[in-house]
Amino acid sequence: MGRFFIALLQIILQFGRNQVNLQGIMRVCTIYMEIRAKKICRSMGFFDIFSSKKKEKLDSGLAKTKESVFTKISRAIAGKSKVDEEVLDNLEEVLITSDVGVDTTLEIIRRIEERVARDKYVSTSELNNILREEIAALLTENNTDDTEGFNLPTDHKPYIILVVGVNGVGKTTTIGKLAYQFKKAGKQVVLGAADTFRAAAVEQLCIWGERVGVPVVKQQMGSDPASVAYDTVSSAVASGADVVLIDTAGRLHNKVGLMNELTKIRNVIAKVVPDGPDDVMLVLDGSTGQNAFEQAKQFTAATKVTSMAITKLDGTAKGGVVIGISEQFKIPVRYIGLGEAMEDLQAFNRREFVDSLFSEEKK
C-alpha cells in the first residue's frame, strides 16, 4: 500500500491540492494496480502457472515408472524397520530391474552404504528421500548444467543441431517439437531433411514443417545427405535464421559407414559455418530400456555426441533409464519426451526429474 500513497502524493504535489480530480485519482489507481500486478508476477503467480503445468506433465509422464519403482521398493523393505544389508541387496535388484543400469546402480548403493555407516541407523521410511538426494547429487557431480528451457547461445547464428538416432525412436518428431519450441521462443528456424534413405522421413519432416510454420530444405529420395545438409545451412545463413535442425538417416548396421556419413555431413557444414555443427544430438527411445543404453554406446563410439534427448517416457515403466544414461555417458540429457503433443517435450532438469520419481505422494 505504501506505493499507492506515494503515487497519490505525487499527483497532489503536481496538480495542487485543489486540482486533484477524478481523472487523477483513477490514474493513481491504475498505477497502483500495475505495480501490484508486476509484483505478483515476479513473486509467484504468473510464472508459477507455467512451472506448475510443467511439473504436472512431468509427474504424469513418469507415473508408470514411479508406480513400478515404489512397488518394488515396498517389497524390498517389507517387514524391515532399518536399512541393512538385506535391504540394500533388494534395493540393488530394484534399481537394476528399473533400467537404471548396473554401473550406476552399484554407485548409488555404494553411496547409501556410506551414509548408513556414517549415520549408524537409517530407517526404511527414509529410503525414498535418501535415494532422491543421492541420485540427484550423483547426476550433479557427473554432468554439465541443466538446460534452461529452450534457450540457445546468442553469440552467433545459426546455431546448428545435427540430430542422430535409429529409426523409430522419435527422431523426426523430436525435431518437429524442438522447432515448435524454438519458434515459440522467437527464433527463426530452418529444418533439413537429410534422411534421404527413407521415403517417409522426408515427408514426415515436411508435415512437421507445415504444422510449425518453418521452412524445410529437401532434395530427391536417395540424394547425398551431405548435399542436403550443405543446402540447409547455406539457406539458413542467407536468410539470417537463428537455428538449424538437420535430420539424418537412422541406420546402425555398420559403425564405419555411419561414422563416415556423419563425418561427411559435418565437413560440408563446416564449409559454410566453420565451427558447425554446434551440437550433435542423439535421440533415444526411453521405453526400450537397456536397448537405449546399447544404442548410446554404438553412436558415441561412431561419432562425437554432445547431447541427448530421451523420448517416449510416458506410458512406460522404464523411465529409470534416464538416470543411468545421464550418469554413465557423461553427456548432457537436454530434453525428455513425455507425450504426443508439441508442448510435451521438456528441457531436462535432473533434480526435478529425481524429485518427481522418488517423492512420495502427499496424502
Side-chain angles (χ1 to χ4, degrees), residues 41-213:
C41 286
R42 280 199 302 270
S43 61
M44 57 183 296
F46 181 75
F47 295 112
D48 274 8
I49 292 173
F50 294 99
S51 60
S52 176
K53 286 183 178 179
K54 179 183 176 184
K55 185 180 184 306
E56 286 175 7
K57 188 60 192 181
L58 182 62
D59 289 345
S60 64
L62 296 178
K64 287 195 174 181
T65 297
K66 183 172 182 174
E67 181 182 358
S68 174
V69 170
F70 266 71
T71 300
K72 291 175 181 177
I73 290 177
S74 296
R75 291 171 184 165
I77 64 177
K80 293 283 188 177
S81 60
K82 71 172 185 175
V83 176
D84 56 18
E85 187 174 343
E86 183 181 352
V87 168
L88 289 173
D89 285 343
N90 292 339
L91 180 60
E92 181 179 306
E93 182 180 344
V94 167
L95 294 175
I96 291 174
T97 56
S98 298
D99 293 284
V100 172
V102 174
D103 292 339
T104 303
T105 293
L106 293 177
E107 177 59 21
I108 293 169
I109 295 298
R110 183 189 69 76
R111 286 168 174 257
I112 296 177
E113 284 176 336
E114 288 183 355
R115 188 156 174 171
V116 170
R118 183 181 67 244
D119 298 344
K120 303 303 179 186
Y121 180 89
V122 175
S123 68
T124 52
S125 62
E126 299 175 81
L127 193 54
N128 288 328
N129 284 336
I130 292 173
L131 277 168
R132 182 176 56 193
E133 292 169 7
E134 294 301 332
I135 292 174
L138 177 65
L139 297 184
T140 301
E141 292 168 14
N142 284 285
N143 264 292
T144 56
D145 294 336
D146 286 317
T147 301
E148 292 296 329
F150 292 87
N151 298 322
L152 292 171
T154 56
D155 57 341
H156 72 282
K157 64 179 188 180
Y159 188 88
I160 304 168
I161 304 174
L162 188 63
V163 186
V164 302
V166 301
N167 293 331
V169 297
K171 181 161 48 72
T172 307
T173 299
T174 298
I175 291 172
K177 290 179 180 179
L178 279 173
Y180 167 77
Q181 294 286 4
F182 289 141
K183 185 180 179 184
K184 185 180 174 183
K187 305 293 184 183
Q188 185 179 343
V189 185
V190 175
L191 306 183
D195 183 356
T196 59
F197 294 93
R198 188 168 63 93
V202 176
E203 181 181 351
Q204 186 183 5
L205 194 66
C206 288
I207 292 172
W208 272 105
E210 290 177 5
R211 286 180 66 186
V212 178

